[in-house]
Amino acid sequence: MIRDDILTLLNNTEDFLSGQEISEKLGVSRTAIWKHINSLKNMGYDIESVNNKGYRLLSSPDLLTADVIKSYLKTGFIKDICYYPKTDSTNIRAKALSAEGKPSGTLVIAEEQTAGKGRRGRVWISPPKESIYMSLLLKPDIDVLNASMLTLIAAMAITKAIKELFPKNKDCCIKWPNDVVVGGKKICGILTEMTTEADYIKDVVIGIGINANTKHFDTEISDIATSLYLSYGTNVNRAELVAIVMHHLGRYYEIYLKTQDMSGLLDEYNSMLVNINREIMIIENNKEWHAKAMGINDRGALIVETSDGTRKEIISGEVSVRGIYGYV
Ligand code: BTN
């Protein structure tokens, strides 16, 4: 769409871009450009127009609509974006859209969820606009047993994107298997759900909730949860963050698909792991024991070493892992 293309050009240009340049690049008349710029202004984009200089984008509306996200996207991985001002859960929507025939690479995104789902049947509180609630629909031709690793690559993509947006702050890490943490507190949750038929995968939905511009958490969770705003002291451009996450997810997904495991991503994942080489507490069937985290293996299992030097494999879903002094 011409409007999206204009936005992409403006987003990628610091200075003014003349009507002539835009019209040459997109092959449409200057009058058409002018009309599209006016409709963008009506949508809430602040675009400066100066005679003999052209147009400059000053700010975008803080919305996660398809138009806005597309203007930041630098990947062909995302095939479609379905936006809801309010929905029950983007995971539920993504599964329904999959059944209606939406392709792999469809991104479902909402400003607010009324029935946001967390792991282990918990509720994911999803108030309007301040955070990011999205689900990526994938239809991979992979073995069912390999699908759980998709959650690990999503955690990698989110960590990488946050590091890219806040390069001076180095403390964004992964708490195995897939919580993204900043300063020891959880900033993001991932819920991956799969639909299978016999032993074939119909679809995988990777649901991602990122605490972006949340200004306040209730006391019960403020010890373990934080937001990008609370950690870095500035509002984040949510659409840009979504686009960067999807860019990296697409890259990691491609690498993962070659082997259907973590072998091509092992070193990078381990470099993001918060508790690597640290003592952690493993909670298994109500029993707790301590060991040193050594990093993950090709299957995404966490390798730990006990005090007598024995190495063990910890499988996600069966145990829970904590730092010995707190959440990480
Ligand atoms: C967790 O418990 O850590 C996982 C939380 C996952 C929340 C996200 S928000 C977008 C997507 N839709 C949902 O209903 N849940 C996931």
Side-chain angles (χ1 to χ4, degrees), residues 44-76:
Y45 288 90
D46 189 3
I47 299 171
E48 191 181 8
S49 327
V50 174
N51 277 345
N52 300 324
K53 279 189 167 176
Y55 305 102
R56 183 164 65 157
L57 181 63
L58 298 178
S59 70
S60 304
D62 185 29
L63 283 177
L64 294 174
T65 56
D67 278 351
V68 183
I69 293 172
K70 275 186 205 156
S71 72
Y72 289 102
L73 267 183
K74 292 193 174 84
T75 174

Side-chain angles (χ1 to χ4, degrees), residues 5-260:
D5 296 338
I6 297 176
L7 262 185
T8 307
L9 286 176
L10 290 176
N11 260 329
N12 292 319
T13 316
E14 293 276 303
D15 202 6
F16 284 91
L17 202 56
S18 72
Q20 184 64 34
E21 273 174 286
I22 304 178
S23 120
E24 276 166 17
K25 283 196 170 122
L26 303 182
V28 285
S29 72
R30 290 179 63 171
T31 324
I33 303 289
W34 178 79
K35 282 190 185 149
H36 285 297
I37 294 271
N38 277 342
S39 85
L40 285 168
K41 285 182 180 170
N42 288 334
M43 286 163 67
Y45 288 90
D46 189 3
I47 299 171
E48 191 181 8
S49 327
V50 174
N51 277 345
N52 300 324
K53 279 189 167 176
Y55 305 102
R56 183 164 65 157
L57 181 63
L58 298 178
S59 70
S60 304
D62 185 29
L63 283 177
L64 294 174
T65 56
D67 278 351
V68 183
I69 293 172
K70 275 186 205 156
S71 72
Y72 289 102
L73 267 183
K74 292 193 174 84
T75 174
F77 175 54
I78 298 303
K79 303 290 179 260
D80 199 355
I81 300 178
C82 302
Y83 168 80
Y84 298 89
K86 186 171 176 173
T87 191
D88 44 5
S89 148
T90 53
N91 270 29
I92 297 176
R93 280 310 101 224
K95 276 188 265 180
L97 289 164
S98 170
E100 286 167 23
K102 283 283 183 193
S104 184
T106 297
L107 179 65
V108 182
I109 195 147
E111 298 288 358
E112 180 181 0
Q113 296 185 122
T114 52
K117 297 197 280 180
R119 272 180 306 192
R120 300 172 209 258
R122 286 193 280 252
V123 169
W124 188 259
I125 300 165
S126 314
K129 294 200 174 154
E130 54 192 25
S131 285
I132 295 170
Y133 317 111
M134 62 182 173
S135 301
L136 178 67
L137 169 66
L138 294 173
K139 300 189 170 175
D141 183 12
I142 57 170
D143 192 307
V144 175
L145 295 173
N146 297 335
S148 65
M149 285 175 269
L150 290 170
T151 313
L152 305 191
I153 68 165
M156 288 180 76
I158 296 154
T159 306
K160 181 90 179 162
I162 294 175
K163 280 170 178 282
E164 207 169 297
L165 275 182
F166 299 97
K168 287 196 199 118
N169 297 284
K170 298 200 168 27
D171 61 348
C172 180
C173 301
I174 299 174
K175 174 180 170 285
W176 182 85
N178 53 36
D179 279 346
V180 178
V181 294
V182 174
K185 293 185 179 184
K186 180 163 161 168
I187 206 139
C188 162
I190 306 171
L191 175 68
T192 301
E193 296 183 286
M194 176 167 67
T195 311
T196 54
E197 203 169 87
D199 56 356
Y200 134 88
I201 297 180
K202 280 176 108 176
D203 58 50
V204 176
V205 168
I206 307 178
I208 299 173
I210 305 178
N211 303 331
N213 298 325
T214 317
K215 307 283 183 297
H216 170 81
F217 286 99
D218 286 344
T219 26
E220 317 88 78
I221 57 167
S222 63
D223 283 349
I224 56 160
T226 188
S227 68
L228 292 170
Y229 175 84
L230 291 172
S231 306
Y232 298 133
T234 171
N235 272 324
V236 62
N237 178 330
R238 295 179 306 151
E240 187 180 11
L241 177 57
V242 169
I244 303 177
V245 169
M246 288 306 142
H247 168 74
H248 291 301
L249 225 168
R251 255 179 359 95
Y252 292 141
Y253 184 57
E254 212 172 290
I255 300 172
Y256 159 86
L257 282 182
K258 286 187 191 148
T259 52
Q260 291 190 30

Side-chain angles (χ1 to χ4, degrees), residues 235-302:
N235 272 324
V236 62
N237 178 330
R238 295 179 306 151
E240 187 180 11
L241 177 57
V242 169
I244 303 177
V245 169
M246 288 306 142
H247 168 74
H248 291 301
L249 225 168
R251 255 179 359 95
Y252 292 141
Y253 184 57
E254 212 172 290
I255 300 172
Y256 159 86
L257 282 182
K258 286 187 191 148
T259 52
Q260 291 190 30
D261 67 16
M262 296 300 286
S263 49
L265 296 164
L266 203 61
D267 291 344
E268 195 168 348
Y269 181 95
N270 283 335
S271 75
M272 294 175 175
L273 204 54
V274 68
N275 20 33
I276 196 144
N277 292 325
R278 279 211 229 155
E279 195 170 346
I280 55 165
M281 182 166 79
I282 296 124
I283 307 158
E284 197 173 14
N285 301 327
N286 293 328
K287 269 193 240 136
E288 289 172 5
W289 49 285
H290 288 194
K292 190 161 125 187
M294 310 305 290
I296 60 161
N297 65 11
D298 287 357
R299 307 283 317 149
L302 184 68

